[in-house]
Amino acid sequence: MQKREQGKSGGAAGGNAAPPPKRGRPFGSTAASMASASAADSVAPSTLLGPSLQIHNSFSEQNNRRIVLALQSGLKSELTWALNTLTLLSFKEKDDMRKDACLAKIPGLLDALLQIIDDWRDIALPKELRKGHRARTLGANSVVTGFGNEYEALGTNTLLPQLGLGSGSSATELTGQKNTSKRRRSEWWLDEDGLFNLDDEGRAEKQQCAVAASNIIRNFSFMPENEIAMAQHRHCLETVFQCIEDHIIEDEELVTNAIETIVNLAPLLDLRIFSSPKPSYIKITEKRAVQAIMGMLGSSVKAWHCAAAEFLGRMIINPDNEPLLLPFVPQMYKRLVDILSLQAFDAQAAAIGALYNLVDVNMDCRLKLASERWAVDRILKVIKTPHPVPEVCRKAAMIIEHLASDPQNRTSLLAYENAFAEILFSDADWRLLCAEDCS
């Protein structure tokens, strides 16, 4: 067998070359990042922006069946070609209208990509987390305990000793014979390191293919023509939520692609799909899906808890999803206020956006938020600092207005009368919103 080159192990994930920058969604501070990007574009001429690959309009139509068959083949060379091709088709630049990447035009494509991720997840559990073999101590002097396949492993020609007559040495010899016979008669092809299992290099290549497939699905989710099909595809949602649920042991890039995918699909996502009669592959329930997002919200990784906050903020305004999220509201708003204490502006923006929708639809959250001095202090700090994105400051002011509009919160908010007066006489017009109902 030819020795595979190290450079080829990158396969579909891009090899040793640095991958192009992703079209990552800027969490929270969208206006700031767009302003900086536009400023950079105005300075640098278009000739210095790097090479751009153009795809022929009819490429997808001529090769759609071949792409799906290549993904289903399981062959490394075919998978590499298909994943690289789909990465180019799904990556849309600023002025590029790439209509060929519509999932509806390539039947079976989404299922084929999901199968690659499922194949990796079937072997993704690290060896350190597998249940190891434990030496038997109960009934150690007995040749057969009656449990498992021990009697069958002895073989038909093995004579059983008369219990109680054998010495310790004879019992040890019989135990050794039993182990030898069991090892000889066991199904060696089911062993973890058997002929049909992958070595470390093969597992790494499978992982890279799964990450590349998740990146393609993520890119597809940015296109409006794909959102409805993906938001109603139960297998897609189950796979994505399972990756998020296992974020502690799963590949980080795979988890990041999964969370960005559901953030894109959040406006059209109905969690009741997990209890619908549609065929289920992984048995994800509504509660498990919300718990997976709450786990990401509590993560220390900024990109993850920002995306989780943005996702929850979009989901809570859907009346169909609100009953499923209400049991988690106490944990939700506390964590969102904790995120406000971080110095990262994008994290603050994501938390403010989620709190803005949360207090708008949930009265209990308004009451609890107004009763927590530390929560109101942090929201006011976003306004006074101020946050570099005016829209974030406006939403923070609207949160205070929502709190003050509830008569039960007036007494609690009287302690901030001086702060409201200071904001009231400030120059910024959007700061006046938080003092109107308190004056």
Side-chain angles (χ1 to χ4, degrees), residues 1-144:
M1 181 181 294
Q2 290 184 346
K3 185 177 181 180
R4 285 172 285 194
E5 299 176 2
Q6 186 68 23
K8 292 183 180 180
S9 63
N16 296 329
K22 288 185 178 180
R23 289 181 308 109
R25 154 206 307 276
F27 297 105
S29 56
T30 308
S33 57
M34 289 179 63
S36 61
S38 61
D41 290 346
S42 61
V43 175
S46 58
T47 55
L48 299 181
L49 295 180
S52 178
L53 182 62
Q54 300 294 328
I55 304 295
H56 195 272
N57 294 333
S58 61
F59 180 85
S60 177
E61 297 178 359
Q62 296 175 356
N63 295 274
N64 55 4
R65 180 169 177 79
R66 181 189 171 190
I67 291 174
V68 175
L69 292 177
L71 293 174
Q72 296 173 345
S73 68
L75 301 176
K76 179 183 174 182
S77 59
E78 294 295 321
L79 277 174
T80 302
W81 173 82
L83 291 173
N84 286 336
T85 301
L86 288 172
T87 300
L88 295 175
L89 286 173
S90 63
F91 188 87
K92 185 188 297 184
E93 298 181 8
K94 293 179 182 178
D95 301 326
D96 184 14
M97 295 300 295
R98 193 159 292 174
K99 299 180 180 179
D100 286 353
C102 180
L103 291 174
K105 293 186 176 181
I106 311 180
L109 176 59
L110 185 56
D111 289 320
L113 290 170
L114 294 171
Q115 186 60 46
I116 295 175
I117 301 177
D118 292 341
D119 289 344
W120 157 246
R121 290 193 52 79
D122 289 341
I123 62 172
L125 190 62
K127 295 181 180 180
E128 293 77 10
L129 299 179
R130 295 182 185 273
K131 185 177 179 180
H133 296 287
R134 185 173 59 181
R136 191 184 75 189
T137 56
L138 183 63
N141 294 327
S142 301
V143 179
V144 177

Side-chain angles (χ1 to χ4, degrees), residues 175-187:
T175 303
Q177 294 175 1
K178 177 196 69 173
N179 292 335
T180 304
S181 176
K182 182 178 180 180
R183 200 178 302 118
R184 181 174 59 250
R185 294 171 60 89
S186 63
E187 291 84 354

Side-chain angles (χ1 to χ4, degrees), residues 58 69 131 175 220 299 302-303 306 398 422 426 429 433:
S58 61
L69 292 177
K131 185 177 179 180
T175 303
F220 279 143
S299 171
K302 184 179 71 172
C306 286
M398 290 295 294
E422 180 184 350
S426 62
D429 294 336
L433 293 172

Side-chain angles (χ1 to χ4, degrees), residues 111 118 233-236 238-239 279-284:
D111 289 320
D118 292 341
H233 197 286
R234 184 169 182 173
H235 186 195
C236 177
E238 287 177 336
T239 301
S280 177
Y281 296 85
I282 308 177
K283 305 297 183 184
I284 292 287

Side-chain angles (χ1 to χ4, degrees), residues 228-392:
I228 297 178
M230 297 179 69
Q232 297 177 355
H233 197 286
R234 184 169 182 173
H235 186 195
C236 177
L237 298 178
E238 287 177 336
T239 301
V240 168
F241 274 103
Q242 190 185 44
C243 293
I244 296 173
E245 187 179 41
D246 298 336
H247 66 275
I248 297 178
I249 60 174
E250 190 52 88
D251 180 86
E252 293 184 1
E253 188 174 358
L254 183 61
V255 175
T256 302
N257 290 333
I259 187 69
E260 291 185 8
T261 299
I262 64 165
V263 169
N264 291 339
L265 303 178
L268 301 174
L269 183 58
D270 186 354
L271 292 177
R272 295 177 302 174
I273 191 175
F274 296 122
S275 59
S276 66
K278 290 185 177 182
S280 177
Y281 296 85
I282 308 177
K283 305 297 183 184
I284 292 287
T285 61
E286 296 96 332
K287 185 177 180 180
R288 279 183 62 186
V290 179
Q291 287 175 337
I293 297 299
M294 293 301 298
M296 295 290 283
L297 186 65
S299 171
S300 59
V301 181
K302 184 179 71 172
W304 292 356
H305 62 239
C306 286
E310 188 173 353
F311 175 78
L312 292 172
R314 295 184 178 191
M315 293 292 290
I316 195 66
I317 59 178
N318 187 341
D320 297 328
N321 295 323
E322 184 179 352
L324 303 173
L325 298 175
L326 287 180
F328 299 90
V329 166
Q331 310 171 38
M332 202 181 300
Y333 86 86
K334 289 181 180 179
R335 175 56 180 162
L336 292 173
V337 175
D338 286 339
I339 294 176
L340 288 179
S341 63
L342 302 179
Q343 299 301 319
F345 288 132
D346 50 353
Q348 294 178 0
I352 287 293
L355 284 172
Y356 174 75
N357 292 333
L358 200 60
V359 299
D360 188 30
V361 300
N362 188 258
M363 176 180 173
D364 187 53
C365 181
R366 289 197 295 269
L367 297 177
K368 292 182 179 179
L369 200 60
S371 63
E372 301 284 357
R373 288 186 63 101
W374 56 279
V376 180
D377 286 336
R378 291 178 182 176
I379 296 174
L380 288 175
K381 186 177 179 181
V382 174
I383 303 174
K384 292 178 179 180
T385 303
H387 193 280
V389 181
E391 180 66 16
V392 176

